[in-house]
Amino acid sequence: MTRTYDHLEIERQGPVTRVYLNRPEIHNAFDDTSMRSLTECFRALGDDADTRVVVLAGRGKSFCAGADLNWMKRMVGYSEEENLRDSALLQTMLDTIDRCPKPVIAQVHGAVLGGGTGLISTCDSVVATPTALFGATEVKLGLLPAVISPFLIAKIGPSHARDIFMTGERFGADRAMHMGLIHHVAEGDDLDAWVNKKVERLLSSGPQALAAAKRIVHDVSFRSPEAVKDITLAAIAKARVSEEGQEGMAAFLERRPPKFKVDWNAGD
Ligand code: COA
């Protein structure tokens, strides 16, 4: 994957691709261009056989201050149809990251507000600095967290959503951790160390298994065990006899490291 994207900076290190939001002058608030870039970038990463783990981070003082309010304000001059089409860009971007078949780690600091909280809700693991500041602040601007709501509620549940959506409160990493919005809090250099530790763990697992494990969370969440039994039985039956499953189990029994094929699309 060699192309560049407006408002993003991409760094590749072997199987790890780091995607940086890159509009530091406005705390990486995102507009239509940023959303198109993120969507295209994550689609490409999903198909990129060389990328096994994606890290999403922000350049400058903040991870992301949400939607670019200048862009949103301009919509007053749009027709209803144009307004809906532009709002759909956010939905498409969030959905694309949410369903990216590669593991996505968010590494966050500074402001993580409005759509920024939506963005981290689409990531598999979130590591934050202790000073990061979170909030679904839309009501303070006379708006509401609409498009991000299903992604955010899937992470924190309706109870915390009701509280933070309506108060619009800004809150710290401890509270974010308590509600399940983030997974680890790490200081300064430790932030990189935590992320690298996560990356290593992900790289030592079967690529096919990781994609399947992510898919099953989507497939079974908020459904009864009875309703999803065909999906869960089929998933484990497929994994047990797969080349990757056979190799993983054999390696364990033979007390050696597994040799997983890195060709992501093989056997899918
Ligand atoms: N959209 C557009 N511009 C934004 C922005 C956003 N969401 N958030 C910050 N900016 C801009 C500011 O307008 C300012 O621009 P200027 O330099 O041209 O005046 C610049 O980023 C720096 O912001 P500033 O507020 O001066 O920095 P700060 O360090 O004091 O505070 C934030 C940073 C992110 C905490 C603060 O800007 C903020 O609360 N932003 C709004 C976040 C929000 O409510 N997002 C939800 C959107 S639905």
Side-chain angles (χ1 to χ4, degrees):
M1 206 189 80
T2 48
R3 66 163 280 196
T4 58
Y5 298 89
D6 291 337
H7 300 180
L8 300 181
E9 191 185 319
I10 313 291
E11 243 178 46
R12 304 204 59 150
Q13 271 180 317
V16 184
T17 300
R18 288 184 157 77
V19 178
Y20 291 94
L21 306 176
N22 194 21
R23 292 177 93 198
E25 64 287 356
I26 56 165
H27 295 263
N28 297 321
F30 52 77
D31 65 1
D32 48 346
T33 300
S34 327
M35 289 190 280
R36 282 196 182 90
S37 287
L38 274 167
T39 303
E40 285 167 23
C41 177
F42 273 83
R43 277 187 187 145
L45 289 171
D47 291 337
D48 177 26
D50 294 333
T51 296
R52 293 184 57 201
V53 179
V54 183
V55 178
L56 179 62
R59 289 291 189 212
K61 286 188 189 160
S62 291
F63 173 69
C64 176
D68 179 340
L69 296 170
N70 292 305
W71 164 70
M72 287 242 260
K73 200 162 180 300
R74 279 200 301 273
M75 286 188 188
V76 73
Y78 285 24
S79 67
E80 193 182 333
E81 198 180 294
E82 286 168 327
N83 215 319
L84 279 174
R85 201 190 49 217
D86 247 40
S87 303
L89 289 174
L90 176 58
Q91 157 70 26
T92 305
M93 174 188 82
L94 295 171
D95 204 51
T96 304
I97 302 174
D98 197 46
R99 299 210 169 250
C100 177
K102 310 296 168 70
V104 181
I105 304 171
Q107 175 170 351
V108 308
H109 69 289
V112 187
L113 298 171
T117 57
L119 207 43
I120 63 170
S121 299
T122 64
C123 299
D124 303 304
S125 303
V126 185
V127 185
T129 58
T131 51
L133 189 67
F134 302 85
T137 50
E138 287 84 346
V139 288
K140 298 290 172 207
L141 302 162
L143 305 170
L144 81 160
V147 182
I148 64 171
S149 63
F151 301 94
L152 205 41
I153 292 171
K155 279 284 162 90
I156 67 176
S159 172
H160 287 296
R162 286 163 79 141
D163 184 36
I164 67 164
F165 283 13
M166 283 187 272
T167 60
E169 278 166 352
R170 294 174 184 222
F171 53 90
D174 285 349
R175 191 167 163 213
M177 179 99 151
H178 174 72
M179 64 177 74
L181 182 58
I182 65 174
H183 304 98
H184 297 286
V185 182
E187 304 267 356
D189 290 349
D190 280 355
L191 188 66
D192 289 328
W194 264 104
V195 170
N196 290 337
K197 215 186 293 173
K198 288 257 179 223
V199 167
E200 268 168 41
R201 273 188 201 135
L202 291 163
L203 290 177
S204 65
S205 301
Q208 299 278 329
L210 286 178
K214 181 160 178 170
R215 203 161 44 231
I216 207 153
V217 177
H218 282 294
D219 288 348
V220 312
S221 292
F222 311 114
R223 301 176 68 190
S224 73
E226 178 63 23
V228 298
K229 73 175 190 305
D230 290 346
I231 297 172
T232 56
L233 296 178
I236 190 59
K238 184 176 174 194
R240 276 197 297 239
V241 298
S242 70
E243 206 178 314
E244 204 172 274
Q246 286 291 313
E247 166 59 12
M249 292 186 282
F252 177 82
L253 295 170
E254 291 161 21
R255 298 179 186 278
R256 61 170 174 83
K259 288 192 210 98
F260 293 124
K261 270 194 199 164
V262 294
D263 179 6
W264 189 267
N265 297 311
D268 205 15

